[in-house]
């Protein structure tokens, strides 16, 4: 890391064809003026062409040509460095794209377990041929319809099976040899050349092969003349396709059977992303060679590690990565910490990407009584039932049954073989053991435990016991007993298969939590959608000031530099979307009253289905609350969000079998509310509600920004959110950003920017400037909570202090919805004299009354 570039603030860029390296290069002066120390790049390595995010990586050894290639990357890094800005890269060690654009994947399919790429991917070759769930129907039907055909890829020197004219799968060398032999019989003068090629390809079958031998064989195809190629194509056309497909290292299958029979580890439940065996030192070196080289060269300052919980041994991985990059290089991991969970102490990294801090800050502005009232309204209408624990377990079971059956089946078989004697003694059937396994995953309270072949720690025992308690509270006696056997197996694996069971179990609990909580329950339980966030906890929607003070005082004590986001590419809502919803918690009766007032003229806009109105009342609640949160919003944006929300909830529709009638009705309902002339009374009522929430929304939006920029850690600003951001979940939050407008607002009097956007930008610039100037905002700066007398504004404040300077920040976490008297701060802590406001004017402790337009304090003492 360039020591002249200490972390002050990061700025996240989402790269894709529409926003390549050149676009970020041009923004280097803007970032510098804003006060950013490090650009924070989404994955920049070669990915599936047209990728909008880069997590579908195809080659970790190559910078993406789509984005500008290595030359463009270096120009961007140079432009940033010229402005004093460093670079942090997002890397993806857990998975790669299972794509024909991935040369390693294609090589694994072509040569199977004997090929050089076999060790790269997490494939269970012992389970038989590699299942490829890529067909839109059964194989027999796909063949009958002509959707599969043989072809030659002359450029790359391989023979392939094409599906739908879109995807290609390479044929095994033994098959290639047979087809080339058949072609030789048709080739006349080229027969000898084809026979020679057939012998070379036959030599690659069923033996360990190296890159040189593969390259030589490929050249025999690449160098064929027109006569030889025509003979090969005739042989391909005449071949018996079913027999050819039956001889490959892979088998084509209907995509719907993936959850039953898949024999490679996926990223979550995404078939097109295959797990990587980064625990293998050679694989680690391949995946990290380029990013580590860029760090060593000084082009890159730090790394963000994607989905670390998917790895076999996260602690061992972190140690290896730290050794590779050296001390002083910031390493941040994407790790969802549940409330109260601690990052393992033996990871030599600098912390997480900050979802726990996002939720702590957001929770300060949620009124727990208001949340409880909204929740009670849903429960009173029988739209939500069950405790949060029961609901989460049910959602996780749902996704396990829908999407992870193959993983459960494999784990259950491993466990049954290892525990055969105990299972027989307990009169337990394989089905009971499977139910116990599902229950254990469903009740697992965190993303994962971290036991290794060297053993486990107290934190692992604690989460296993918490899972046991949840199972005992909710499950039947047989399931409880089965889960108890499995928990003992987790804690005390007896052999290599036992350790394999534990590893696979630990790699499954994270995806089950992510898909069950983030991508299911958060779309089913919508009392107040601002708390339905990645890393959130519906049992704890709000945060008390004392709790947050304790957390950040500890962060100051250890000199934390990890990230503090208010938005990321994965958050469910933008920071100002959440701010408006948090304002709704201050007046919880307003939303049910609003629904009651508009019901008469919105209910006729809902279609009738066999089970009742479409959308049903719970989905209608989501539609209306989302419109409150994100208004004004286009029908297209709303429809994109609702399609995702309905399918993730899995109540009426899902990704695998969408209910088009229900979806069309719900999307049509939303579009009518936004556009239809007959819904004008609705929009008028919506405007009145939003106007009522406008002032607390404005104040909360700026107050949370002040906290993000001044609390211990490194502020992480997601692209464009230096203006207000009322976005929804991706892809809505990845829409193009108008940087020209932001640059104009930063340079002088706002021209075309809304005053509230300009105000947020100015606060961001001014506080980031302090981060570059004040020692108290460095990692060594202290943190002292401030105390206040009772106030309807519920002030939250602290002092950051160093030996030479100090910063005091006070913000309201409540705003009387009907604002009356000017806000007054009753400080119970003596700040003393000598403080200046941001504008340079002096502040005196006997001036407790604040400007209603700016009901917060940012004070500096030098």
């Amino acid at each position: 890391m360039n020591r002249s570039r200490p972390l002050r603030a990061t700025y996240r860029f989402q790269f894709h064809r529409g926003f390549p390296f050149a676009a970020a290069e041009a923004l280097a002066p803007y970032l510098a003026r804003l006060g950013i120390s490090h650009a924070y790049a989404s994955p920049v390595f070669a990915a599936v062409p047209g990728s909008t995010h880069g997590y579908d990586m195809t080659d970790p050894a190559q910078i993406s040509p789509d984005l500008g290639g290595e030359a463009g990357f270096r120009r961007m890094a140079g432009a940033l460095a010229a402005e004093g800005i460093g670079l942090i890269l997002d890397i993806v060690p857990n998975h790669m794209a299972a794509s024909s654009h991935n040369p390693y994947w294609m090589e694994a399919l072509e040569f199977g377990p004997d090929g050089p790429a076999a060790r790269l991917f997490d494939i269970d070759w012992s389970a038989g041929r590699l299942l490829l769930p890529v067909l839109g129907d059964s194989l027999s039907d796909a063949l009958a319809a002509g959707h599969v055909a043989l072809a030659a890829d002359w450029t790359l020197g391989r023979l392939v099976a094409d599906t739908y004219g879109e995807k290609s799968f390479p044929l095994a060398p033994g098959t290639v040899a047979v087809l080339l032999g058949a072609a030789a019989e048709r080739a006349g003068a080229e027969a000898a050349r084809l026979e020679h090629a057939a012998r070379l390809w036959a030599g690659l079958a069923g033996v360990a092969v190296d890159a040189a031998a593969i390259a030589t064989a490929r050249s025999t195809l690449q160098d064929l003349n027109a006569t030889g190629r025509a003979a090969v194509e005739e042989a391909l056309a005449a071949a018996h396709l079913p027999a050819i497909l039956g001889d490959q290292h892979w088998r084509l299958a209907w995509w719907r059977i993936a959850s039953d029979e898949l024999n490679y580890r996926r990223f979550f439940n995404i078939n097109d992303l295959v797990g990587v065996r980064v625990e293998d030192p050679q694989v680690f070196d391949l995946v990290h060679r380029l990013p580590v080289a860029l760090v060593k060269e000084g082009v890159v300052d730090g790394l963000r590690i994607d989905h670390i919980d998917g790895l076999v041994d996260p602690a061992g991985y972190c140690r290896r990565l730290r050794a590779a990059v050296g001390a002083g290089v910031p390493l941040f991991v994407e790790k969802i910490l549940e409330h109260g969970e601690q990052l393992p102490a033996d990871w030599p990294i600098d912390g997480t990407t900050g979802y726990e801090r996002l939720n702590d800050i957001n929770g300060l502005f949620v009124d727990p009584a208001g949340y409880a009232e909204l929740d009670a309204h849903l429960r009173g209408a029988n739209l939500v039932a069950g405790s949060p624990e029961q609901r989460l377990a049910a959602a996780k079971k749902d996704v396990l049954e829908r999407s992870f059956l193959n993983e459960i089946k494999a784990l259950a078989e491993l466990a049954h073989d290892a525990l055969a004697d105990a299972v027989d003694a307990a009169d337990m059937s394989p089905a009971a053991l499977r139910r116990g396994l599902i229950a254990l995953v469903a009740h697992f309270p965190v993303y994962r435990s971290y036991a290794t072949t060297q053993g486990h720690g107290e934190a692992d025992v604690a989460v296993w016991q918490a899972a046991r308690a949840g199972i005992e509270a909710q499950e039947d006696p047989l399931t409880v007993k089965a889960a108890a056997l499995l928990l003992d197996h987790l804690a005390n694996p007896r052999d290599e298969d036992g350790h394999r069971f534990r590893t696979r179990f630990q790699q499954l609990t994270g995806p089950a939590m992510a898909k069950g909580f983030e991508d299911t329950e958060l779309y089913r339980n919508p009392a107040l959608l601002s708390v339905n966030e990645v890393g959130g906890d519906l049992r704890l929607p709000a945060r008390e000031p004392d709790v947050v003070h304790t957390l950040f005082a500890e962060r100051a004590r250890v000199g934390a530099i990890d990230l503090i986001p208010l938005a990321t590419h994965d958050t469910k809502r933008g920071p100002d979307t959440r701010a408006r919803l948090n304002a709704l918690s201050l007046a919880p009766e307003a939303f049910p009253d609003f629904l009651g007032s508009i019901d008469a003229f919105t209910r006729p806009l809902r279609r009738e289905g066999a089970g009742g109105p479409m959308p049903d009342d719970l989905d209608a609640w989501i539609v209306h609350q989302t419109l409150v949160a994100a208004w004004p919003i286009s029908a297209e944006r709303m429809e994109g969000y609702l399609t995702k929300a309905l399918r993730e909830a899995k109540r009426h529709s899902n990704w695998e079998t969408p209910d088009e009638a229900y979806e069309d009705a719900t999307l049509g309902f939303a579009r009518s509310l936004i556009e239809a002339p007959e819904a004008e009374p609705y929009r008028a009522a919506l405007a009145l509600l939003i106007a009522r929430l406008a002032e607390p929304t404005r104040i909360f939006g700026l107050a949370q920004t002040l906290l993000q920029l001044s609390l211990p850690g490194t502020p992480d600003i997601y692209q464009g959110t230096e203006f207000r951001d009322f976005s929804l979940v991706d892809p809505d939050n990845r829409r193009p950003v108008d940087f020209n407008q932001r640059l104009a607002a930063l340079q002088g009097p706002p021209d075309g920017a809304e005053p509230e956007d300009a105000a947020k930008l100015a606060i961001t610039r001014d506080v980031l400037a302090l981060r570059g100037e004040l020692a108290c905002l460095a990692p060594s700066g202290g943190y002292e909570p401030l105390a206040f007398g009772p106030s309807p504004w519920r002030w939250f404040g602290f002092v950051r202090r160093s030996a030479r300077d100090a910063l005091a920040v006070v913000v309201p976490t409540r705003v009387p919805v009907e604002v009356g008297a000017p806000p007054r701060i009753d400080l119970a802590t003596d700040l003393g004299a000598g403080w200046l406001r941001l504008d340079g004017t002096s502040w005196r402790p006997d001036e407790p009354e604040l400007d209603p337009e700016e009901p917060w304090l940012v004070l500096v003492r030098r």
Side-chain angles (χ1 to χ4, degrees):
M1 178 181 177
N2 188 327
R3 298 292 179 179
S4 67
R5 293 198 290 252
L7 280 162
R8 181 195 308 179
T10 61
Y11 192 96
R12 171 77 175 195
F13 282 128
Q14 289 295 120
F15 288 108
H16 50 80
R17 278 181 178 172
F19 188 85
F21 298 138
E25 177 185 347
L27 290 170
Y30 168 74
L31 295 188
R33 186 171 296 184
L34 186 61
I36 299 300
S37 66
H38 290 75
Y40 168 22
S42 64
V44 301
F45 303 100
V48 173
S51 173
T52 60
H53 48 75
Y55 292 101
D56 47 357
M57 181 174 64
T58 57
D59 191 349
Q62 180 187 10
I63 301 291
S64 170
D66 266 9
L67 305 181
E70 185 166 349
F73 177 78
R74 289 181 176 275
R75 282 194 300 271
M76 175 191 70
L80 291 167
E83 296 288 346
I85 297 170
L87 189 58
I88 293 174
L89 284 191
D90 190 342
I91 63 172
V92 190
N94 176 71
H95 55 270
M96 295 174 68
S99 163
S100 58
H101 299 285
N102 182 341
Y104 308 98
W105 177 246
M106 293 293 276
E107 187 177 89
L109 299 183
E110 191 171 18
F111 297 100
D114 298 314
R119 68 191 304 164
L120 177 59
F121 300 107
D122 203 346
I123 298 169
D124 182 7
W125 293 106
S126 69
R129 295 192 296 149
L130 178 61
L131 182 78
L132 298 178
V134 297
L135 300 178
D137 211 329
S138 68
L139 177 59
S140 59
D141 286 344
L143 288 173
H147 293 320
V148 184
L150 299 181
D153 185 333
W154 302 116
T155 300
L156 294 180
R158 58 167 53 115
L159 303 184
V160 300
D162 275 344
T163 59
Y164 306 100
E166 298 174 351
K167 295 182 178 182
S168 296
F169 304 95
L171 302 183
T175 301
V176 175
V178 170
L179 290 168
L180 291 177
E185 298 174 2
R186 308 164 182 266
E190 290 299 306
R193 184 189 294 265
L194 285 167
E195 288 170 352
H196 172 66
R199 286 192 296 272
L200 287 178
W201 279 96
L204 301 179
V207 297
V209 293
D210 59 31
I214 293 172
T216 299
R218 291 207 194 291
S219 68
T220 64
L221 290 176
Q222 293 166 328
D223 297 341
L224 282 176
N225 62 20
T227 300
R229 292 186 177 189
V232 171
E233 289 170 351
E234 288 178 16
L236 293 176
H240 184 241
L241 187 52
I244 292 288
L245 295 179
D247 286 340
Q248 305 314 305
H249 295 294
W250 42 263
R251 68 182 180 98
L252 304 179
W254 194 9
W255 67 268
R256 291 186 182 276
I257 73 168
S259 65
D260 296 322
E261 300 185 33
L262 205 66
N263 50 353
Y264 62 87
R265 181 173 61 87
R266 303 169 290 177
F267 171 71
F268 292 177
N269 61 344
I270 302 174
N271 297 334
D272 291 338
L273 297 178
V274 56
V276 170
R277 296 183 62 253
V278 76
E279 65 274 12
D280 182 315
Q282 291 187 33
V283 176
F284 179 94
D285 290 342
L286 170 66
V287 171
H288 294 85
R289 187 175 298 128
L290 182 53
V292 168
L294 292 169
V295 169
K296 294 286 191 182
E297 190 180 339
V299 177
V300 168
D301 295 71
L303 301 174
R304 180 260 196 195
I305 297 92
D306 182 65
H307 189 47
I308 196 164
D309 276 344
L311 308 185
V312 165
D313 178 11
Y317 170 85
C318 290
R319 288 191 292 270
R320 182 173 286 155
L321 183 59
R322 174 57 73 196
V325 300
V329 174
L331 297 178
F332 305 122
V333 297
E334 184 206 25
K335 161 65 187 163
I336 309 300
L337 291 169
E338 297 302 309
H339 188 69
E341 184 185 6
Q342 299 296 314
L343 195 65
D346 61 341
W347 294 10
I349 60 170
D350 297 287
T352 73
T353 53
Y355 287 110
E356 64 273 27
R357 288 175 285 286
L358 181 154
N359 283 283
D360 288 334
I361 292 173
N362 187 69
L364 280 171
F365 300 95
V366 176
D367 188 301
Y371 180 88
E373 187 170 328
L374 290 165
D375 183 63
H377 186 90
L378 287 179
R379 291 176 181 276
N382 294 317
L383 300 179
V384 169
S387 70
E389 293 85 357
Q390 291 169 330
R391 293 182 59 84
L392 176 55
K396 290 169 76 173
K397 288 178 181 179
D398 193 352
V399 299
L400 288 168
E401 294 282 0
R402 288 174 182 268
S403 302
F404 296 105
L405 280 177
N406 184 69
E407 288 83 349
I408 290 293
K409 174 186 173 185
L411 277 170
E413 289 174 354
L414 270 174
H416 189 273
D417 291 344
L419 301 173
D421 292 343
V423 168
D424 290 342
D427 293 329
M428 191 173 297
S429 66
L433 194 67
R434 178 178 170 276
R435 287 195 298 273
L437 178 59
I438 290 175
L440 184 53
V441 176
H443 291 279
F444 214 73
V446 295
Y447 268 65
R448 65 168 284 173
S449 54
Y450 296 98
T452 68
T453 53
Q454 284 73 48
H456 57 266
E458 293 180 2
D460 299 316
V461 174
V463 297
W464 294 337
Q465 293 306 317
R468 183 191 299 272
I471 293 166
E472 290 175 346
Q474 295 188 37
E475 304 293 343
D476 64 84
L478 183 57
T479 301
V480 170
K481 181 169 283 191
L485 282 175
L486 293 166
L487 278 167
D488 179 67
H489 191 42
L490 276 177
N492 302 290
R494 296 165 179 80
D495 52 25
E496 184 177 339
D497 280 346
H499 284 286
R500 187 165 173 242
F501 170 84
R502 184 159 72 179
T503 294
R504 291 303 193 198
F505 176 85
Q506 292 182 140
Q507 288 178 299
L508 175 60
T509 54
M513 177 71 87
K515 300 305 294 182
F517 179 65
E518 296 169 23
D519 291 343
T520 302
E521 179 61 8
L522 292 188
Y523 292 95
R524 290 179 174 180
N525 192 354
L528 184 69
L529 290 170
S530 56
V531 307
N532 290 27
E533 193 51 84
V534 178
D537 187 338
L538 298 186
R539 298 167 302 180
L540 193 71
R543 298 289 190 276
E544 292 299 317
D546 289 349
V547 172
V548 177
H549 281 313
T550 299
L551 293 170
F552 280 95
E554 176 61 17
R555 288 173 54 72
R557 187 188 70 79
V558 301
I561 64 168
D562 50 357
L563 304 185
I564 308 176
L566 291 180
T568 77
H569 60 288
D570 279 334
T571 43
K572 302 295 186 187
R573 285 159 194 85
D576 297 281
T577 319
R578 290 195 305 272
R580 188 181 284 165
L581 289 167
N582 289 342
L584 192 62
S585 77
L586 305 180
E589 77 290 343
F591 188 62
D593 288 351
F594 165 72
L595 296 182
S597 71
I598 54 89
D599 184 69
F601 46 85
T602 60
R603 189 165 289 274
L605 300 175
R606 295 158 68 182
R607 300 180 200 166
E608 281 298 321
M614 301 186 298
D616 67 10
D617 287 348
L618 188 67
D619 287 334
W621 175 287
I622 292 175
V623 170
H624 294 305
Q625 199 173 104
T626 300
L627 288 173
V628 170
W631 191 262
I633 185 172
S634 68
E636 290 72 22
R637 286 179 58 205
M638 189 68 180
E639 288 175 349
Y641 167 76
L642 285 175
T643 299
K644 185 166 189 172
L646 293 173
R647 294 181 183 180
E648 297 286 26
K650 307 169 191 67
R651 295 177 57 248
H652 295 287
S653 193
N654 57 68
W655 293 106
E656 292 80 11
T657 54
D659 185 329
E660 294 182 3
Y662 188 88
E663 287 186 4
D664 288 348
T666 303
L667 271 55
F669 174 65
R671 179 175 283 275
S672 295
L673 296 178
I674 294 168
E675 295 181 343
E678 61 268 28
E680 182 56 40
Y682 173 85
R683 293 189 289 274
L686 179 65
L688 288 175
L689 176 57
I690 291 172
R692 183 181 177 188
L693 302 174
E695 189 63 3
T697 300
R698 180 186 74 86
I699 292 171
F700 282 177
L702 294 174
Q704 67 185 357
T705 300
L706 282 170
L707 295 182
Q708 177 197 29
L709 299 174
S710 56
L711 285 165
T714 303
D716 171 33
I717 299 171
Y718 182 68
Q719 59 179 27
T721 60
E722 62 271 36
F723 271 20
R724 292 174 302 161
D725 179 66
F726 289 96
S727 64
L728 301 170
V729 73
D730 71 281
D732 192 62
N733 62 8
R734 303 181 192 185
R735 287 171 293 134
V737 175
D738 187 343
F739 283 106
N740 289 330
Q741 191 179 55
R742 286 157 177 78
L743 180 60
L746 193 62
Q747 288 175 331
D751 182 15
E754 295 289 336
E756 292 181 9
D757 292 329
K760 185 176 181 182
L761 183 71
I763 282 177
T764 302
R765 175 201 61 207
D766 292 348
V767 180
L768 288 184
L770 293 178
R771 291 187 68 88
E773 173 190 348
L774 300 179
C776 64
L777 290 175
S780 58
Y783 181 92
E784 303 168 12
L786 294 175
F788 304 92
S791 169
W793 294 78
R794 202 183 75 157
W795 303 103
F796 178 87
F798 52 88
V799 176
R800 305 288 313 278
R801 200 182 301 275
S802 74
R804 73 167 190 250
D805 51 38
L807 176 80
V809 175
V810 178
V811 300
T813 63
R814 298 291 181 269
V815 178
V817 175
E818 309 299 342
V819 177
R824 298 177 59 87
I825 295 178
D826 181 12
L827 259 173
T829 304
D830 183 8
L831 278 178
W835 295 91
L836 299 177
R837 297 183 177 90
L838 278 179
D839 63 6
T841 59
S842 62
W843 175 84
R844 299 194 314 272
D846 60 352
E847 297 179 357
E849 194 169 289
L850 299 178
D851 180 352
E853 291 297 309
E854 297 183 359
W856 51 75
L857 283 177
V858 180
L859 305 174
V860 179
R861 187 160 62 189
R862 293 177 174 86

